[in-house]
Amino acid sequence: LVSAVIPISMSVNLDVAKFVYAWLVAGSVVRNTTIPEELGRISFLLSDKTGTFTQNDMIFKKLNLGVANFSPDSLEDVGSMLEQAYTGEYDQQKASSGKKSKLKQVKRANIHEKVKEAILALALCHNVTPVHPSEDDGIMEYQASSPDEVALVKFSETVGLRLWDRTQTSITLKNPLDELEKFEILEVFPFSSERKRMGIIVRNTSNGEIRFFMKGADVIMEKIVNESDWLREECDNLAREGLRTLVFGQKILSEEEWETFFKNHKAAKESIVDRDEKVNAAIEELEDGLDLIGLTGVEDKLQEDIRPSLESLRNAGIKIWMLTGDKRETATCIAISSKLAARSHSFYQMDTAAARQQLKEFADSYDTILVVDGNSLKLLLTEEMRQEFYDSSKHAPAVVCCRCSPTQKAEVVDMIRDFSGLQCAAIGDGGNDVSMIQAANIGVGIVGKEGKQASLAADYSILRFKDITKLLLWHGRNSYYNSATMSQFIIHRGCIMAFIQFIYSAIFYMSPVVVYTGMLVLGYSMWYTAAPVFALCINRDVTEQAALIYPELYQELRKGRALSKLTFALVLLITVYQATAIMISGVFLDLNYIDVTAVTFTALCFVELIDIAMIVTKWHPLIIISEIATFALYPICMVLFRGYFHIQYASSWNFWVKVCSMTGLA
């Protein structure tokens, strides 16, 4: 008799509403339609840096060889020195003419050869493929998985050494003398997130010289290359300028050394047991004695409107954690320039030596951003430290984790989800962010220059970081708020009919007589209230402009006040009152069974439609149409279903006066 209390239609309504939410999300690709409400309750946002905070649009800025430091305004000097190195005539005219060079003049006699070695390393140590233009006056294009490599190859082209052709077995360069130089590719060691470096062995076909070039992160390369007294200091200087650094090294191999390595490396690759360890050991043996060439600094432009976007998210109460593979100084500089760190914020840098004590000190600090490097993060993510790490950093305005591996990014997400119980979102643009995106409650991928791995693995795909502001503050708000309202109203719609049945049976000595039968029960949820209830999914409690201008409104949603035990209790109280008012007044009007059913059911439908109208905060045309159409449909159904209504009585003023009285009382 009271089976209507079970909200069977809720699942159908919410599933269809989720498709509507996905359709309304403009500028984004929705790959998962089952979790739009979670967008309205995000408490933590974990983000990659490169390609997410920045555009992944690399511009070459610095080349440091130790004895000379080149910047963009000295490209002419680099080009002339490279040309002189190829001709073998070191130009002394500039010095004798009195024109002051923009370079640091140290050991000018051999600086030309150092410039040649550095530019040669930039032009050979990469995985870039040139694409020749279809027209003679077209511009050469380069294809590569990493924009860093393209920026370095373009720089070498600018100073006179152009990548002309590349195949599986050779690389061809066009030198400043317009001569083609061909290099045979003997072996390539691709970059990986574990090794953080890549290398290549080439043979110059003109003189047979074999060279091993390697480039990689400074923290790895400084342990490999021969000791240098300037490398660490210069790397830190470039990082403080917000530049991405790469260290280059080389080693000239004899035929015997190459043959020995080739045999060892081939045997390691063919090994069945511990193959990876043996391959790495063979490569590390080759890396021994690597000479330092220099280091490069590449600038990555910030994303459009990244500063107001981060400020809005911070004002919305969302904690932002930046997880990046870059070094600490670079990450800190980007945090400042992107306004992830406000002017009032300071930085607290973790050290593995006294991690537990530092966490306690940080927990007592105020307006401080925690900066954690890869080694410290490895310690903090252990079972013994995870809880303490989260408890100390959960109230921080932001956390910067640098030198993170993809696995560590996913572990940070898992830690926050395990200990907070709150909703986490992760955003990234590259394949190394996939594990983090899939570990979060909401994964957001940016279609960037590193491919579509992150975009395809995410729940939502966007083009720029600034799009996540609208996705969370506007679409997330509407999805959560409307689903909460719709769910409670569907529960109310079923409970009020069940309570009416209970009151009716209780008045008539617990008689098992059904008050509403057949088409009345079916039509109640399908025709008379379905359209207006479903139209609630396009209701708006605030305007889009207000939601974006006042991100503080988002904080109310994160507290879950739109759907809580209190709101559910209020819905039940209203349900009990309205059911009592309708049925008690209907019984005391001394009507027969059919007339009681007709009058109370009509009043019930009108009460539901009025309740929906009172909930609506902004009248959308579809909501207006659904309300009017439902009001117009009901009299037609009264004529069609004559078995449930006395048409003569239903068309009288007495019937409608009683209906209006009940509706007004309820």
Side-chain angles (χ1 to χ4, degrees), residues 126-131 141-146 149-150 163 166:
H126 54 71
N127 286 307
V128 180
T129 302
V131 179
E141 295 183 358
Y142 299 102
Q143 295 180 348
S145 59
S146 172
E149 292 191 327
V150 174
L163 175 62
R166 180 176 184 135

Side-chain angles (χ1 to χ4, degrees), residues 200-268:
I200 187 171
I201 302 176
V202 295
R203 176 190 278 120
N204 192 326
T205 57
S206 61
N207 56 23
E209 183 182 57
I210 301 176
R211 293 198 182 208
F212 169 44
F213 292 103
M214 176 165 281
K215 67 179 179 182
D218 56 296
V219 293
I220 300 297
M221 293 295 291
E222 68 180 355
K223 301 175 184 177
I224 298 175
V225 299
N226 293 328
E227 187 176 353
S228 171
D229 57 353
W230 58 269
L231 179 59
R232 170 50 43 205
E233 180 182 356
E234 293 298 333
C235 285
D236 292 342
N237 290 338
L238 293 182
R240 279 190 283 269
E241 297 178 24
L243 302 180
R244 295 164 57 89
T245 58
L246 277 177
V247 178
F248 285 79
Q250 74 165 348
K251 185 178 182 180
I252 300 177
L253 304 178
S254 64
E255 283 291 341
E256 292 76 13
E257 289 175 324
W258 159 244
E259 291 293 339
T260 302
F261 166 76
F262 179 76
K263 293 178 181 178
N264 295 338
H265 190 241
K266 183 179 180 182

